[in-house]
């Protein structure tokens, strides 16, 4: 999806446009990161590219303070952004905020689903930015150099990080955990969702297999496992639950969804 962001309530707000046609892919409301008392709006432009004949999709993550009153492009409104300019990465597909190192400060996880690793094109990656607020000083920050850790997908066309979900502390170690979607991962490219230990995200080029607490695997490569995922305490036991959909399951064999 590439489009604009606009509030639809009765308050007079502007419209945020991508910096290229179709560049804007995702957004997330985050905590106050620059100390001005307003929640931030994170905007991902994973489709931002060099506009060549065979485009290279670099991607960008932008941080806006509140929502604008007038129409403007993302780059005109952002107080800071992180960019990729060397390789195709698709940075900015998804983002979540939490405390993934147990220091009580806000960290960010941001995915780049087109990143290649070990010869596997589009394996995908998730980057950790510890205590991200003080780092957001200007536009044009290097998204790769700024990261404190990164998780790398292992499958060609796995697209690790196509979805990220905050899960809170699931294993009782006092650190937030999270779910990451890998729609083309696993044997037969059936897709997987992984519950990852936040405390284990330390270092570079981490293999997601080594830091997951558990995983859910799709049964059909066409099923769309994890295309829509929801979290919450459904059974009221004080522990977070996860609902996973496979909207196209059965289509390959029965012709129905």
């Amino acid at each position: 999806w590439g489009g604009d962001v606009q509030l639809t309530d009765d308050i007079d707000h502007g419209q945020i446009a991508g910096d290229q046609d179709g560049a804007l892919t995702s957004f997330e409301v985050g905590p106050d990161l620059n100390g001005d008392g307003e929640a931030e709006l994170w905007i991902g432009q994973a489709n931002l590219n060099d506009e060549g004949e065979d485009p290279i999709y670099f991607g960008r993550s932008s941080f806006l303070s509140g929502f604008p009153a007038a129409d403007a492009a993302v780059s005109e409104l952002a107080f800071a952004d992180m960019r990729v300019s060397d390789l195709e990465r698709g940075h900015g597909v998804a983002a979540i905020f939490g405390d993934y190192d147990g220091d009580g400060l806000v960290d960010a996880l941001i995915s780049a689903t087109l990143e290649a690793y070990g010869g596997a094109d589009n394996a995908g990656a998730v980057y950790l930015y510890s205590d991200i607020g003080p780092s957001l000083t200007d536009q044009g920050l290097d998204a790769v150099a700024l990261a404190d850790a990164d998780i790398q997908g292992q499958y060609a066309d796995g697209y690790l990080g196509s979805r990220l979900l905050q899960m809170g502390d699931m294993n009782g170690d006092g650190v937030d955990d999270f779910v990451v979607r890998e729609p083309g991962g696993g044997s037969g490219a059936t897709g997987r969702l992984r519950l990852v230990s936040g405390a284990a995200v330390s270092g570079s080029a981490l293999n997601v297999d080594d830091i997951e607490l558990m995983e859910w695997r799709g049964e059909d490569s066409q099923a769309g496992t994890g295309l829509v995922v929801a979290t919450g305490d459904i059974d009221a036991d004080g522990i977070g639950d996860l609902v996973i959909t496979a909207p196209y399951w059965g289509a390959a064999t029965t012709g129905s969804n």
Side-chain angles (χ1 to χ4, degrees):
W1 172 76
D4 300 331
V5 178
Q6 186 172 19
L7 292 186
T8 56
D9 57 19
D10 295 330
I11 303 173
D12 185 19
H13 288 289
Q15 179 171 285
I16 303 172
D19 291 316
Q20 286 179 353
D21 287 344
L24 197 154
T25 50
S26 47
F27 66 95
E28 188 78 25
V29 176
D32 178 16
L33 299 173
N34 62 354
D36 66 355
E38 291 195 62
E40 317 300 12
L41 182 64
W42 172 85
I43 293 182
Q45 297 186 88
N47 288 340
L48 202 67
N49 62 81
D50 64 354
E51 299 185 288
E53 185 175 337
D54 186 12
I56 298 175
Y57 293 93
F58 299 127
R60 182 184 301 171
S61 285
S62 299
F63 297 84
L64 287 64
S65 184
F67 208 93
D71 295 355
V74 175
S75 59
E76 297 173 316
L77 298 167
F79 66 84
D81 70 44
M82 298 186 294
R83 309 179 181 188
V84 172
S85 58
D86 56 345
L87 297 170
E88 181 162 73
R89 298 181 190 269
H91 177 89
V93 170
I96 52 175
F97 300 91
D99 180 12
Y100 304 107
D101 52 15
D103 64 358
L105 301 173
V106 177
D107 310 318
L109 291 166
I110 302 176
S111 62
T113 57
L114 301 183
E115 183 152 331
Y117 181 71
D121 290 340
N122 303 326
V126 178
Y127 288 90
L128 170 68
Y129 302 90
S130 297
D131 188 16
I132 189 172
S135 301
L136 300 176
T137 56
D138 202 354
Q139 293 191 5
L141 301 170
D142 188 324
V144 177
L146 198 64
D148 294 285
D150 62 276
I151 307 167
Q152 297 290 336
Q154 307 297 311
Y155 293 90
D157 299 327
Y159 303 105
L160 181 76
S162 66
R163 188 80 188 272
L164 297 170
L165 291 99
Q166 170 73 295
M167 290 298 294
D169 180 13
M170 299 297 292
N171 59 350
D173 63 359
V175 178
D176 287 342
D177 306 311
F178 61 96
V179 168
V180 56
R181 184 181 182 227
E182 188 180 27
S187 178
T190 55
R192 294 187 290 187
L193 284 97
R194 279 96 169 297
L195 175 63
V196 177
S197 169
V201 184
S202 177
S204 60
L206 298 169
N207 185 335
V208 67
D209 291 338
D210 296 334
I211 59 174
E212 67 176 21
L213 297 172
M214 65 183 303
E215 70 175 49
W216 298 267
R217 301 180 182 181
E219 296 183 357
D220 184 332
S221 62
Q222 305 300 316
T225 300
L227 184 62
V228 178
V229 186
T231 62
D233 185 7
I234 297 171
D235 53 8
D237 63 354
I239 301 174
D241 304 312
L242 185 67
V243 177
I244 302 171
T245 67
Y248 309 119
W249 185 85
T253 55
T254 66
S256 61
N257 298 337

